[in-house]
mmCIF file of all heavy atoms in Angstrom:
data_model
loop_
_atom_site.group_PDB
_atom_site.id
_atom_site.type_symbol
_atom_site.label_atom_id
_atom_site.label_comp_id
_atom_site.label_asym_id
_atom_site.label_seq_id
_atom_site.Cartn_x
_atom_site.Cartn_y
_atom_site.Cartn_z
ATOM 1 N N LEU Q 68 -13.049 -17.860 16.412
ATOM 2 C CA LEU Q 68 -14.148 -17.940 15.451
ATOM 3 C C LEU Q 68 -14.730 -16.575 15.110
ATOM 4 O O LEU Q 68 -15.442 -16.429 14.126
ATOM 5 C CB LEU Q 68 -15.262 -18.835 16.009
ATOM 6 C CG LEU Q 68 -14.884 -20.279 16.294
ATOM 7 C CD1 LEU Q 68 -16.058 -21.011 16.920
ATOM 8 C CD2 LEU Q 68 -14.421 -20.972 15.026
ATOM 9 N N PHE Q 69 -14.438 -15.571 15.934
ATOM 10 C CA PHE Q 69 -14.991 -14.236 15.750
ATOM 11 C C PHE Q 69 -13.881 -13.181 15.801
ATOM 12 O O PHE Q 69 -13.824 -12.370 16.726
ATOM 13 C CB PHE Q 69 -16.047 -13.956 16.829
ATOM 14 C CG PHE Q 69 -17.139 -14.979 16.865
ATOM 15 C CD1 PHE Q 69 -17.148 -15.959 17.844
ATOM 16 C CD2 PHE Q 69 -18.138 -14.969 15.912
ATOM 17 C CE1 PHE Q 69 -18.155 -16.917 17.869
ATOM 18 C CE2 PHE Q 69 -19.144 -15.923 15.933
ATOM 19 C CZ PHE Q 69 -19.148 -16.903 16.907
ATOM 20 N N PRO Q 70 -12.999 -13.154 14.804
ATOM 21 C CA PRO Q 70 -11.888 -12.198 14.854
ATOM 22 C C PRO Q 70 -12.334 -10.743 14.820
ATOM 23 O O PRO Q 70 -11.675 -9.887 15.399
ATOM 24 C CB PRO Q 70 -11.040 -12.547 13.636
ATOM 25 C CG PRO Q 70 -11.898 -13.388 12.771
ATOM 26 C CD PRO Q 70 -12.939 -14.013 13.637
ATOM 27 N N SER Q 71 -13.460 -10.443 14.202
ATOM 28 C CA SER Q 71 -13.923 -9.052 14.161
ATOM 29 C C SER Q 71 -14.178 -8.525 15.563
ATOM 30 O O SER Q 71 -13.849 -7.376 15.870
ATOM 31 C CB SER Q 71 -15.199 -8.923 13.332
ATOM 32 O OG SER Q 71 -14.937 -9.196 11.980
ATOM 33 N N ALA Q 72 -14.757 -9.338 16.405
ATOM 34 C CA ALA Q 72 -15.024 -8.919 17.783
ATOM 35 C C ALA Q 72 -13.728 -8.652 18.526
ATOM 36 O O ALA Q 72 -13.618 -7.686 19.282
ATOM 37 C CB ALA Q 72 -15.848 -9.982 18.507
ATOM 38 N N THR Q 73 -12.728 -9.488 18.301
ATOM 39 C CA THR Q 73 -11.428 -9.301 18.949
ATOM 40 C C THR Q 73 -10.763 -8.019 18.458
ATOM 41 O O THR Q 73 -10.231 -7.245 19.259
ATOM 42 C CB THR Q 73 -10.512 -10.508 18.679
ATOM 43 O OG1 THR Q 73 -11.166 -11.687 19.164
ATOM 44 C CG2 THR Q 73 -9.175 -10.353 19.355
ATOM 45 N N LEU Q 74 -10.802 -7.773 17.150
ATOM 46 C CA LEU Q 74 -10.202 -6.562 16.595
ATOM 47 C C LEU Q 74 -10.917 -5.310 17.106
ATOM 48 O O LEU Q 74 -10.270 -4.322 17.471
ATOM 49 C CB LEU Q 74 -10.232 -6.607 15.065
ATOM 50 C CG LEU Q 74 -9.421 -7.722 14.418
ATOM 51 C CD1 LEU Q 74 -9.640 -7.745 12.914
ATOM 52 C CD2 LEU Q 74 -7.947 -7.594 14.754
ATOM 53 N N ALA Q 75 -12.235 -5.356 17.161
ATOM 54 C CA ALA Q 75 -12.999 -4.211 17.664
ATOM 55 C C ALA Q 75 -12.669 -3.954 19.133
ATOM 56 O O ALA Q 75 -12.557 -2.804 19.557
ATOM 57 C CB ALA Q 75 -14.492 -4.453 17.484
ATOM 58 N N GLU Q 76 -12.488 -5.003 19.894
ATOM 59 C CA GLU Q 76 -12.141 -4.844 21.310
ATOM 60 C C GLU Q 76 -10.761 -4.196 21.457
ATOM 61 O O GLU Q 76 -10.555 -3.348 22.328
ATOM 62 C CB GLU Q 76 -12.177 -6.196 22.026
ATOM 63 C CG GLU Q 76 -11.889 -6.119 23.498
ATOM 64 C CD GLU Q 76 -12.901 -5.285 24.283
ATOM 65 O OE1 GLU Q 76 -14.052 -5.108 23.828
ATOM 66 O OE2 GLU Q 76 -12.530 -4.786 25.366
ATOM 67 N N LEU Q 77 -9.813 -4.559 20.602
ATOM 68 C CA LEU Q 77 -8.485 -3.933 20.640
ATOM 69 C C LEU Q 77 -8.577 -2.435 20.377
ATOM 70 O O LEU Q 77 -7.902 -1.638 21.036
ATOM 71 C CB LEU Q 77 -7.556 -4.588 19.613
ATOM 72 C CG LEU Q 77 -7.122 -6.008 19.901
ATOM 73 C CD1 LEU Q 77 -6.388 -6.591 18.702
ATOM 74 C CD2 LEU Q 77 -6.254 -6.054 21.139
ATOM 75 N N VAL Q 78 -9.410 -2.050 19.432
ATOM 76 C CA VAL Q 78 -9.583 -0.633 19.121
ATOM 77 C C VAL Q 78 -10.225 0.079 20.315
ATOM 78 O O VAL Q 78 -9.776 1.154 20.730
ATOM 79 C CB VAL Q 78 -10.433 -0.441 17.843
ATOM 80 C CG1 VAL Q 78 -10.792 1.019 17.637
ATOM 81 C CG2 VAL Q 78 -9.677 -0.985 16.634
ATOM 82 N N ARG Q 79 -11.253 -0.521 20.888
ATOM 83 C CA ARG Q 79 -11.918 0.091 22.048
ATOM 84 C C ARG Q 79 -10.964 0.232 23.231
ATOM 85 O O ARG Q 79 -10.985 1.223 23.943
ATOM 86 C CB ARG Q 79 -13.131 -0.736 22.460
ATOM 87 C CG ARG Q 79 -14.367 -0.421 21.670
ATOM 88 C CD ARG Q 79 -15.596 -1.041 22.292
ATOM 89 N NE ARG Q 79 -15.629 -2.495 22.164
ATOM 90 C CZ ARG Q 79 -16.005 -3.153 21.075
ATOM 91 N NH1 ARG Q 79 -16.391 -2.479 20.020
ATOM 92 N NH2 ARG Q 79 -16.012 -4.460 21.042
ATOM 93 N N MET Q 80 -10.123 -0.756 23.452
ATOM 94 C CA MET Q 80 -9.188 -0.736 24.583
ATOM 95 C C MET Q 80 -8.096 0.311 24.411
ATOM 96 O O MET Q 80 -7.424 0.666 25.367
ATOM 97 C CB MET Q 80 -8.563 -2.119 24.773
ATOM 98 C CG MET Q 80 -9.537 -3.143 25.312
ATOM 99 S SD MET Q 80 -8.913 -4.850 25.400
ATOM 100 C CE MET Q 80 -7.184 -4.680 25.658
ATOM 101 N N SER Q 81 -7.922 0.833 23.204
ATOM 102 C CA SER Q 81 -6.859 1.806 22.945
ATOM 103 C C SER Q 81 -7.098 3.123 23.664
ATOM 104 O O SER Q 81 -6.163 3.857 23.929
ATOM 105 C CB SER Q 81 -6.738 2.065 21.446
ATOM 106 O OG SER Q 81 -7.835 2.828 20.986
ATOM 107 N N GLY Q 82 -8.354 3.424 23.925
ATOM 108 C CA GLY Q 82 -8.676 4.681 24.582
ATOM 109 C C GLY Q 82 -8.742 5.869 23.635
ATOM 110 O O GLY Q 82 -8.904 7.004 24.072
ATOM 111 N N CYS Q 83 -8.594 5.641 22.344
ATOM 112 C CA CYS Q 83 -8.680 6.730 21.368
ATOM 113 C C CYS Q 83 -10.117 7.244 21.298
ATOM 114 O O CYS Q 83 -11.051 6.453 21.205
ATOM 115 C CB CYS Q 83 -8.276 6.245 19.985
ATOM 116 S SG CYS Q 83 -6.550 5.782 19.855
ATOM 117 N N PRO Q 84 -10.296 8.571 21.313
ATOM 118 C CA PRO Q 84 -11.656 9.106 21.269
ATOM 119 C C PRO Q 84 -12.348 8.883 19.922
ATOM 120 O O PRO Q 84 -13.528 8.613 19.876
ATOM 121 C CB PRO Q 84 -11.471 10.586 21.555
ATOM 122 C CG PRO Q 84 -10.045 10.877 21.258
ATOM 123 C CD PRO Q 84 -9.291 9.597 21.462
ATOM 124 N N ASN Q 85 -11.622 8.984 18.822
ATOM 125 C CA ASN Q 85 -12.199 8.803 17.481
ATOM 126 C C ASN Q 85 -11.263 7.979 16.615
ATOM 127 O O ASN Q 85 -10.667 8.494 15.661
ATOM 128 C CB ASN Q 85 -12.455 10.163 16.820
ATOM 129 C CG ASN Q 85 -13.490 10.967 17.547
ATOM 130 O OD1 ASN Q 85 -14.583 10.476 17.811
ATOM 131 N ND2 ASN Q 85 -13.150 12.186 17.902
ATOM 132 N N PRO Q 86 -11.127 6.695 16.889
ATOM 133 C CA PRO Q 86 -10.197 5.878 16.116
ATOM 134 C C PRO Q 86 -10.704 5.630 14.696
ATOM 135 O O PRO Q 86 -11.909 5.602 14.450
ATOM 136 C CB PRO Q 86 -10.133 4.571 16.904
ATOM 137 C CG PRO Q 86 -11.449 4.485 17.585
ATOM 138 C CD PRO Q 86 -11.827 5.910 17.905
ATOM 139 N N ALA Q 87 -9.774 5.491 13.781
ATOM 140 C CA ALA Q 87 -10.092 5.138 12.400
ATOM 141 C C ALA Q 87 -9.450 3.782 12.130
ATOM 142 O O ALA Q 87 -8.379 3.475 12.649
ATOM 143 C CB ALA Q 87 -9.535 6.191 11.446
ATOM 144 N N ALA Q 88 -10.111 2.972 11.313
ATOM 145 C CA ALA Q 88 -9.609 1.627 11.056
ATOM 146 C C ALA Q 88 -9.662 1.284 9.579
ATOM 147 O O ALA Q 88 -10.555 1.725 8.854
ATOM 148 C CB ALA Q 88 -10.414 0.606 11.856
ATOM 149 N N ALA Q 89 -8.678 0.499 9.175
ATOM 150 C CA ALA Q 89 -8.625 -0.035 7.816
ATOM 151 C C ALA Q 89 -8.220 -1.500 7.914
ATOM 152 O O ALA Q 89 -7.483 -1.889 8.816
ATOM 153 C CB ALA Q 89 -7.624 0.743 6.966
ATOM 154 N N SER Q 90 -8.700 -2.280 6.976
ATOM 155 C CA SER Q 90 -8.401 -3.701 6.978
ATOM 156 C C SER Q 90 -7.920 -4.128 5.599
ATOM 157 O O SER Q 90 -8.570 -3.842 4.599
ATOM 158 C CB SER Q 90 -9.655 -4.494 7.365
ATOM 159 O OG SER Q 90 -9.384 -5.882 7.332
ATOM 160 N N ALA Q 91 -6.792 -4.795 5.563
ATOM 161 C CA ALA Q 91 -6.221 -5.295 4.312
ATOM 162 C C ALA Q 91 -6.234 -6.817 4.345
ATOM 163 O O ALA Q 91 -5.569 -7.437 5.166
ATOM 164 C CB ALA Q 91 -4.791 -4.794 4.141
#
């Protein structure tokens, strides 16, 4: 029901210091 939270968690788990994101 909350895919944005799941996607944000994936980005956070990546360990990237300054990740950039785009959504299509």
Side-chain angles (χ1 to χ4, degrees):
L68 299 176
F69 304 103
S71 293
T73 302
L74 297 174
E76 182 62 23
L77 290 171
V78 171
R79 276 192 290 280
M80 289 174 30
S81 72
C83 294
N85 295 308
S90 178

